[in-house]
Amino acid sequence: MSTIKRIWAREILDSRGIPTIENYCQTDDGKISVSSVPAGTSTGTHEAVELRDMDEKRYLGQGVLKAVENINNVLGPAVVGMDPMKQAEIDQKLISTDGTENKSKYGANAILAISEVVCKMGSQVSQKPLYSWIDDLGVTVGLKQGVRLPTPLLNMINGGKHGAGNLDFQEFWVIPAIHKTFKEGLQIGAEVYQTIGKNLAQRGAIHSVGHEGGYAPNLFTNAEAFEVFVESIKQTGHALGRDLFLGLDVAADSFYKDGEYHIRDRTSSMSDDQLLEFYKQLNNQYKLQIIEDAFFEDAWGSWQKLTAEMSSTTIIAGDDLLATNPKRLKKAISEKACNAAIIKPNQIGSITETLQVIKIARDAGWKIIVSHRSGETNDSFIADFAVGVAAEYAKFGAPARGERVAKYNRLSTIELEVEYLKNK
Ligand code: PGA
Ligand code: ZN
């Protein structure tokens, strides 16, 4: 049996140039695993607490040296001597050492960093690929799907807090048809991505790219982004509604203020009911396969109405609403507030708790969308995680930029590996 000999961490930069944690685990028999954790920009208020130094003299207050110290001096030593294959016991030890409900004492970023690096070590010790080790861990909490390659939600245009352009909605996606292989879907997405880039340039609308690698243009309205999609998809020769579909992460919190929503498609602000009507019109025109965070994170009644009125055609996904939190998820299930869960391990702060949340969503018959964060590193852990929990969908940003393609390319590798093993 291998045991944990040492855990140590350091501060590195994420894709936005903001510090995050890189973490190492060493066993008594000399194995080493490395992992780094992501961070959000449009974070929900119900997420576990990400510890930042708040020392304005370093990285504008965004340093993570306290979290690093917490790993090196408290949390790491707490799990030394433990068996890295006992993920649940280790996560429980980390949670009880912190002792707060939202992991605010030592930081959810510090706790997840250890949880993830231990999970990677578990894969090494078990001599299984990471995705299949995660599948095994899923079984221990009652999940039983086996592995599955997810359909990617490919983010083409970034707005809201993620883009320097003028759009209000955060993510405009192209979603390959479910019957496409992962490789085919990625190719379709990359072709459309490049064509959208050319068309935006022709309109004089490219501003830059956003946090997740999608273009961040200035356009007249949010709906105009979909006009560009339709035009671009036609030019690539793929058929909308057959080869690929459209979807949105609205991230409505970012344009919600004092009970009203402000978007550039309308001259005056909108009530929840007016926004719902707007979504229905958008859906009639563009057939949205998935819509995420359509309303403010605590507007439970509006979520309920949205689900009642649109879920026959569209998957209603909760991100800031649920915050990968079991209590909020159970409330959303009982109130029928949505029917798919965005899953981000760093919103709850440990692998075991994330698996438990997925189990609750599965028991309710919900779809699972495993997600990156806007601040990422080249760590592709989340790709293996999506496969290991048999998520229907994975969202890792645009099919461009190193930290995004690290994950998509990892999914391609896993697809090859799974195919090879099937045919062996
Ligand atoms: P975030 O964005 O990582 O900035 O929270 C991703 C999302 O909202 O899904
Ligand atoms: Zn979101």
Side-chain angles (χ1 to χ4, degrees):
M1 183 181 98
S2 299
T3 56
I4 296 171
K5 184 177 172 197
R6 195 176 158 216
I7 301 255
W8 73 102
R10 66 183 185 120
E11 188 181 63
I12 60 165
L13 291 185
D14 74 15
S15 53
R16 304 165 303 170
I18 296 176
T20 190
I21 301 167
E22 182 175 73
N23 201 18
Y24 293 77
C25 173
Q26 185 182 12
T27 56
D28 58 341
D29 53 355
K31 296 184 183 72
I32 289 187
S33 63
V34 191
S35 191
S36 53
V37 291
T41 306
S42 64
T43 41
T45 50
H46 304 287
E47 298 188 17
V49 174
E50 185 181 85
L51 197 66
R52 297 270 170 199
D53 296 341
M54 299 308 184
D55 171 2
E56 291 299 330
K57 291 198 249 12
R58 293 188 71 255
Y59 290 112
L60 313 172
Q62 294 165 315
V64 289
L65 291 183
K66 279 187 199 157
V68 163
E69 270 173 37
N70 291 342
I71 290 175
N72 291 342
N73 301 332
V74 185
L75 297 168
V79 300
V80 163
M82 293 179 81
D83 176 356
M85 294 181 75
K86 299 268 164 56
Q87 183 79 39
E89 280 175 27
I90 289 176
D91 285 343
Q92 193 43 52
K93 181 81 186 178
L94 295 168
I95 292 163
S96 63
T97 304
D98 178 85
T100 64
E101 187 166 343
N102 57 6
K103 303 188 174 63
S104 54
K105 184 165 184 194
Y106 294 123
N109 43 351
I111 293 172
L112 181 67
I114 297 184
S115 187
E116 238 181 66
V117 85
V118 163
C119 184
K120 283 191 177 178
M121 183 54 81
S123 137
Q124 261 193 63
V125 174
S126 67
Q127 297 188 316
K128 289 185 175 186
L130 184 53
Y131 57 86
S132 83
W133 173 242
I134 291 167
D135 179 30
D136 287 0
L137 293 177
V139 171
T140 66
V141 305
L143 288 169
K144 37 183 163 333
Q145 278 91 4
V147 301
R148 169 193 175 128
L149 260 294
T151 295
L153 307 183
L154 296 152
N155 185 348
M156 303 279 144
I157 288 190
N158 293 185
K161 288 185 181 165
H162 287 184
N166 65 4
L167 299 181
D168 310 289
F169 296 167
Q170 183 175 284
E171 301 171 20
F172 296 75
W173 309 318
V174 154
I175 310 171
I178 211 112
H179 58 82
K180 300 280 177 196
T181 64
F182 176 75
K183 192 173 149 204
E184 289 166 344
L186 190 61
Q187 182 184 330
I188 291 173
E191 289 168 1
V192 174
Y193 176 78
Q194 293 191 29
T195 312
I196 288 175
K198 283 187 195 133
N199 286 329
L200 287 171
Q202 256 172 19
R203 291 178 184 225
I206 281 199
H207 193 283
S208 59
V209 293
H211 284 324
E212 300 185 356
Y215 304 107
N218 284 323
L219 294 172
F220 288 109
T221 60
N222 290 281
E224 193 189 351
F226 278 148
E227 284 175 33
V228 179
F229 274 39
V230 170
E231 179 188 335
S232 307
I233 291 165
K234 251 191 216 139
Q235 288 166 7
T236 60
H238 301 300
L240 185 59
R242 188 194 65 199
D243 301 323
L244 72 169
F245 298 85
L246 304 182
L248 269 182
D249 179 3
V250 178
D253 283 12
S254 64
F255 55 85
Y256 171 86
K257 202 168 169 237
D258 301 331
E260 291 184 322
Y261 300 88
H262 307 259
I263 61 170
R264 57 188 301 107
D265 301 60
R266 294 284 183 272
T267 43
S268 44
S269 57
M270 286 197 255
S271 65
D272 288 59
D273 283 348
Q274 287 168 326
L275 187 59
L276 177 55
E277 279 315 305
F278 178 80
Y279 292 142
K280 286 202 230 163
Q281 282 170 22
L282 212 56
N283 193 32
N284 284 340
Q285 209 172 345
Y286 296 107
K287 311 256 173 295
L288 301 176
Q289 188 176 99
I290 306 177
I291 187 164
E292 173 184 340
D293 277 358
F295 288 104
F296 171 59
E297 63 189 0
D298 289 319
W300 290 93
S302 305
W303 277 88
Q304 241 171 1
K305 226 170 177 179
L306 171 78
T307 303
E309 297 188 20
M310 267 179 69
S311 63
S312 58
T313 59
T314 304
I315 294 169
I316 312 295
D319 174 14
D320 293 346
L321 176 84
L322 306 172
T324 317
N325 179 299
K327 285 189 188 148
R328 291 187 69 87
L329 175 60
K330 282 179 193 159
K331 179 170 158 82
I333 291 167
S334 74
E335 296 193 6
K336 296 190 168 58
C338 49
N339 60 10
I342 298 289
I343 297 291
K344 296 170 169 170
N346 83 326
Q347 286 181 324
I348 184 74
S350 76
I351 296 305
T352 304
E353 288 166 291
T354 309
L355 293 170
Q356 286 163 344
V357 165
I358 294 172
K359 166 80 169 111
I360 298 168
R362 283 291 184 215
D363 288 348
W366 283 23
K367 298 252 187 300
I368 299 297
I369 304 169
V370 166
S371 173
H372 68 159
R373 300 305 304 247
S374 49
E376 275 289 341
T377 68
N378 287 359
D379 194 323
S380 57
F381 175 87
I382 198 74
D384 284 77
F385 190 81
V387 173
V389 302
E392 283 84 359
Y393 299 98
K395 103 172 166 141
F396 302 152
R401 321 307 298 180
E403 75 284 0
R404 312 296 149 186
V405 299
K407 287 130 181 104
Y408 289 129
N409 289 339
R410 172 67 187 148
L411 286 181
S412 297
T413 305
I414 297 174
E415 184 176 51
L416 279 177
E417 220 170 278
V418 170
E419 269 309 300
Y420 171 78
L421 289 175
K422 229 194 284 171
N423 298 326
K424 218 169 79 166

